[in-house]
Amino acid sequence: MNQKNLFKRSALAAAVAIVSSNVYAAGFQLNEYTAAGLGRSFSGEGAIADTAASGSRNPATMTMFNRPAFSIGAIYVDPNVDVTGKSPVTGADTSASNIAPNQWIPNIHFIMPLNEQWALGASATSNYGLATEFSDNYPAGPIGGETDLTTINNNLSVAYRLNEHFSFGLGFDAVYAKAKIRRTAGELVPLKTGGLLPADTEAAKLKGNEWGYGWNAGVLYEVDDNNRYGFTYRSEVKIDFDGEYRNGIPQALGGTGGHTVPGSLTLNLPEMWELSGYNRVAPKWAIHYSLAYTSWSQFQELKATGSQGQTLFDKNEGYHDAYRIALGTTYYYDDNWTFRTGIAFDDSPVPADNRTISIPDQDRFWISAGTTYAFTKDASVDVGVSYMHGQTVNISEKVADGVPNYEFQAKGTAMLYGANFNYSF
């Protein structure tokens, strides 16, 4: 086994993880932008318009508000993701438990109606996020390590009501992405160097932060007060990462010896469509539903270059388009209490042979419940909870040339808890 090849493999694994964490649909393309939506598995989000958060999902729904509305809150994600496996080289246990740490996802929204036809809106949410952590002495360090991504989507939007049936909305997205990737040498380097480089040697560390820009648009069709349908489009967002890369591997072995070198890549987050419906089927009951479709097939290749234009890596990804389907119901108990529930299914875009333990992608099933308590006609609190269950998947990853692939099984579940405070002026 060549140490330079192992170093390159470590760098590739880290770079792939930093990008894949941005373009990962089922598990880390975040929907968690409101507690009310969480309580119904985010079903019907483009048509319900029950809080100011709806403007960030479908800007056309802002025409349904007749006075300024504000919402602020957060969703707490408590995942339980485990991987199991055994080293094909030494037989060492490569299992790891709870590789995804808990996370808070905040949100804030505001809608300002200008008159009966026009409305403005602003929001700050997160559309993408990921965090996985393995110990520094993990045997498969080049593909484990630490992966951390945080994004903030700042949105400004405007809506126009054409008539009693049709409304249109248009928004501008400014996405700030901050990423950190760290990989360690693992068990192979100590074997080759006779322990000269220990397993916790830093094999790759990348970090970067950049802005990307896009737009979104929506249409709302109101049949009457009790039946409406929404269509939403969100454009791709182009992010040009110019990051820093380093490792602790000596230069003689193909590393940087602790020195930082520049690298860049261009990432296009794919476009998404969503169809939503809301029907008040009885005085106290409503049903709502959504179908979202993301064009992940646009993501076929991952390529990064150095400061001199040289290719650092070029990897085929081969993602396929993915969908999300959700169904829910709301019960309007009285003027103070509203109850909701929902189910959903997330389709994974990642082919089985492209899964990684840093991003153990899998199809997911949601079940959710929530409630709203209105203190007055102006102030209310939303609470929501969801259970997300992922299927067990097999993962086969290459660590170095001439070494058998490391084989794993991964499974994951998550509990999500959210609360929002809403106020109308």
Side-chain angles (χ1 to χ4, degrees), residues 93-350:
D93 186 13
T94 56
S95 301
S97 300
N98 295 321
I99 64 172
N102 301 349
Q103 296 287 328
W104 284 98
I105 306 174
N107 64 82
I108 186 169
H109 313 269
F110 180 70
I111 293 176
M112 169 65 76
L114 301 179
N115 51 45
E116 293 183 355
Q117 289 184 300
W118 290 94
L120 299 176
S123 67
T125 61
S126 180
N127 289 338
Y128 295 88
L130 168 68
T132 55
E133 296 179 359
F134 293 80
S135 64
D136 284 350
N137 60 358
Y138 184 63
I143 57 176
E146 179 184 357
T147 305
D148 193 353
L149 170 77
T150 302
T151 67
I152 303 173
N153 186 351
N154 302 285
N155 176 262
L156 294 174
S157 53
V158 60
Y160 173 73
R161 177 179 289 279
L162 180 65
N163 52 43
E164 62 179 333
H165 296 298
F166 284 99
S167 296
F168 302 90
L170 183 66
F172 169 76
D173 294 309
V175 181
Y176 177 73
K178 182 178 181 181
K180 175 185 176 182
I181 301 297
R182 185 174 181 271
R183 296 291 182 264
T184 56
E187 65 182 3
L188 298 183
V189 169
L191 288 176
K192 184 66 177 178
T193 63
L196 177 64
L197 294 176
D200 61 358
T201 299
E202 187 177 79
K205 183 177 181 180
L206 296 90
K207 63 179 182 179
N209 53 85
E210 295 295 342
W211 286 90
Y213 305 96
W215 60 279
N216 63 92
V219 178
L220 180 68
Y221 174 61
E222 300 174 71
V223 180
D224 52 39
D225 291 339
N226 296 322
N227 300 277
R228 50 187 177 269
Y229 305 92
F231 172 74
T232 306
Y233 172 79
R234 187 173 297 277
S235 77
E236 66 178 5
V237 175
K238 180 180 179 181
I239 299 179
D240 294 318
F241 274 100
D242 291 312
E244 298 178 349
Y245 174 82
R246 74 178 188 193
N247 61 48
I249 298 176
Q251 294 180 350
L253 296 178
T256 70
H259 298 290
T260 298
V261 298
S264 63
L265 60 86
T266 297
L267 172 66
N268 294 309
L269 304 182
E271 59 192 2
M272 184 186 76
W273 295 265
E274 184 174 27
L275 289 170
S276 305
Y278 171 89
N279 305 106
R280 190 86 172 245
V281 295
K284 290 182 176 291
W285 286 96
I287 60 171
H288 26 82
Y289 37 88
S290 294
L291 173 63
Y293 188 83
T294 306
S295 297
W296 288 117
S297 59
Q298 297 172 343
F299 184 61
Q300 293 297 311
E301 182 186 38
L302 179 62
K303 186 175 182 179
T305 58
S307 57
Q308 305 300 319
Q310 72 275 27
T311 298
L312 298 178
F313 61 84
D314 190 354
K315 183 177 183 293
N316 175 56
E317 292 292 345
Y319 279 27
H320 57 74
D321 293 346
Y323 66 91
R324 185 180 196 274
I325 188 168
L327 173 66
T329 184
T330 296
Y331 177 59
Y332 302 94
Y333 180 73
D334 58 23
D335 291 340
N336 298 107
W337 288 99
T338 300
F339 300 94
R340 58 185 63 89
T341 187
I343 58 174
F345 175 78
D346 271 326
D347 176 41
S348 169
V350 182

